[in-house]
Amino acid sequence: MSHSEHLSSAECVSIARRVTWTGFWVNAGLSAAKIAVGITARSGALVADGIHSLSDFLTDFIVLIMVGISRKEPDRRHEFGHGKYETLATVLLALVLLIVAIGIMYSGITAILRYMHGEALAQPGVAALVMCALSIAGKEWLYHYTCKAGHKIHSEAVIANAWHHRSDALSSLATFAGVGAAVFFGSRAAILDPIAAIIVAVFIILVAVKMTLPAIGELLDNSLPESTEAVIIKAIEGTPGVISYEQLRTRRSGAIAIVNVEIKVKPEITVAQGHEIATVVENNIRDAIDDPLAIVATHVEPA
C-alpha cells in the first residue's frame, strides 16, 4: 500500500465494522442451522460445530466494540493511543475459542466413554453431511473476506476474527469426515462422530494458541520483530546528518508501532538543524515500516 493509499482511522473502523457485521449475520444463520440439523439428524459433532459458530456472536461483538475504541485519537489518559484495546480483544477472542474447544472435547470424550460401556450411539443422517458442506463453504469465504480486510486496515483483532472463521471451517471439515463415515458405514462407525468433535477441538486450541502468543507479547511490550528493527536501523543510518544512533527501543500498541531512538549529530550545528535532521529521521522510519501513524520520538545528542 503506498503512502497515498493509507486509510484514515474512521475508514478503518468502517471497514472493520462492515466485515464484522457480515460475519455476525452469516454466523447467525449457520449456527442456528447447524444446531437444528444436528439435533434432527442425530449428530453430536454437528451440534458441537453449531455451538462453535454460536461463539462467533460473542467474538464479533468484542471486535465491534474494541476496534472502534482502539482507533480513537489519543487523549489525556491514553497519550500513546488506544491500540492496546485491540490487543486485549485478540486475547479475549482466544480465550473464547479455548473455552469452546474444552466444551467440545468434553462432550466428545463422554460420548466415546458411553460407547465403550456398551451404549449405542445414534447414526447421523445425510442432512448433517449436507449442512457440514454448506458450513465449510460459508466459513472459508468469511475467512478470506475478513482476513483481506484485516490486512488492509492493519488490524490484528480483525485478522484474529478471520482465524476464528477459519477454525470454524476446519471444524466443519473434521465434522464432515466423521459424519460422512458414520452415515455411509452404519452404526458401527457412529463413534467417528464424537471422534470428529474431538479433532475439531484440537484445531480450535491450536488456532487459539497461535492468536494468543503474539498478543500477550504485545501486552508485555515485546520489541518489534528483528526484521522490522533492521529496516528502522537502515532508515536511521541512511538519513543525511546522522552520524550514529543509540538506545533504539520499539514496541507496538495495536496497529501502531512506537519507536524511540537517540541520534548523534555534529556538535557544531544549530538546534534548528538538529531538529530538522530528527524530523527527517522520524518520517524516514514511518515510510520504511509503512506506518504513517507510528509514534516516533528522536532525541538529538552531539557526537
Side-chain angles (χ1 to χ4, degrees):
M1 187 183 291
S2 67
H3 187 77
S4 62
E5 293 173 327
H6 280 292
L7 301 168
S8 68
S9 292
E11 288 172 323
C12 289
V13 171
S14 176
I15 290 171
R17 284 179 172 159
R18 184 173 69 246
V19 298
T20 305
W21 276 115
T22 300
F24 181 89
W25 292 114
V26 171
N27 287 327
L30 282 176
S31 60
K34 282 195 278 191
I35 291 171
V37 173
I39 292 170
T40 56
R42 304 178 304 280
S43 173
L46 187 57
V47 172
D49 205 16
I51 293 170
H52 180 199
S53 294
L54 199 60
S55 73
D56 285 352
F57 281 115
L58 178 57
T59 59
D60 288 337
F61 182 69
I62 291 170
V63 171
L64 284 168
I65 293 175
M66 292 298 195
V67 169
I69 294 174
S70 71
R71 300 290 171 150
K72 286 171 60 180
E73 294 296 320
D75 55 33
R76 188 181 63 81
R77 295 192 63 186
H78 305 88
E79 294 176 341
F80 284 96
H82 300 75
K84 290 288 175 72
Y85 282 92
E86 188 168 326
T87 313
L88 178 61
T90 304
V91 174
L92 292 175
L93 289 170
L95 286 175
V96 171
L97 282 175
L98 282 173
I99 292 167
V100 169
I102 291 168
I104 292 172
M105 190 172 284
Y106 175 79
S107 177
I109 290 171
T110 53
I112 291 171
L113 290 175
R114 291 200 308 272
Y115 178 84
M116 291 173 66
H117 284 88
E119 183 179 327
L121 298 180
Q123 182 183 353
V126 177
L129 200 59
V130 175
M131 191 64 242
C132 286
L134 291 173
S135 176
I136 292 167
K139 295 300 290 191
E140 188 64 15
W141 174 81
L142 264 184
Y143 163 74
H144 288 286
Y145 175 63
T146 308
C147 199
K148 182 180 178 181
H151 284 295
K152 183 177 182 180
I153 65 175
H154 304 289
S155 171
E156 292 299 325
V158 172
I159 293 170
N161 208 25
W163 276 102
H164 199 169
H165 296 317
R166 167 59 68 85
S167 76
D168 215 356
L170 291 173
S171 72
S172 293
L173 192 61
T175 305
F176 183 85
V179 171
V183 167
F184 291 113
F185 296 110
S187 57
R188 290 183 181 179
I191 193 173
L192 293 174
D193 187 75
I195 289 174
I198 293 172
I199 294 171
V200 168
V202 173
F203 274 126
I204 298 170
I205 289 169
L206 290 175
V207 169
V209 170
K210 184 176 180 179
M211 288 164 48
T212 304
L213 293 180
I216 290 176
E218 186 181 318
L219 289 175
L220 297 176
D221 281 337
N222 281 5
S223 300
L224 296 179
E226 287 186 13
S227 57
T228 305
E229 288 201 342
V231 170
I232 292 171
I233 290 168
K234 187 175 180 180
I236 296 168
E237 293 179 334
T239 303
V242 176
I243 295 173
S244 63
Y245 75 92
E246 288 182 357
Q247 297 185 23
L248 174 63
R249 292 176 292 173
T250 64
R251 58 191 173 100
R252 182 170 290 283
S253 179
I256 298 173
I258 300 174
V259 181
N260 292 275
V261 66
E262 185 177 292
I263 59 171
K264 302 286 187 179
V265 299
K266 291 180 180 179
E268 63 268 20
I269 66 173
T270 64
V271 172
Q273 289 171 320
H275 173 73
E276 185 177 342
I277 293 170
T279 302
V280 173
V281 167
E282 292 169 6
N283 290 333
N284 285 349
I285 289 173
R286 293 188 185 98
D287 289 340
I289 62 175
D290 194 26
D291 186 357
L293 299 178
I295 300 172
V296 185
T298 56
H299 180 67
V300 180
E301 288 280 350

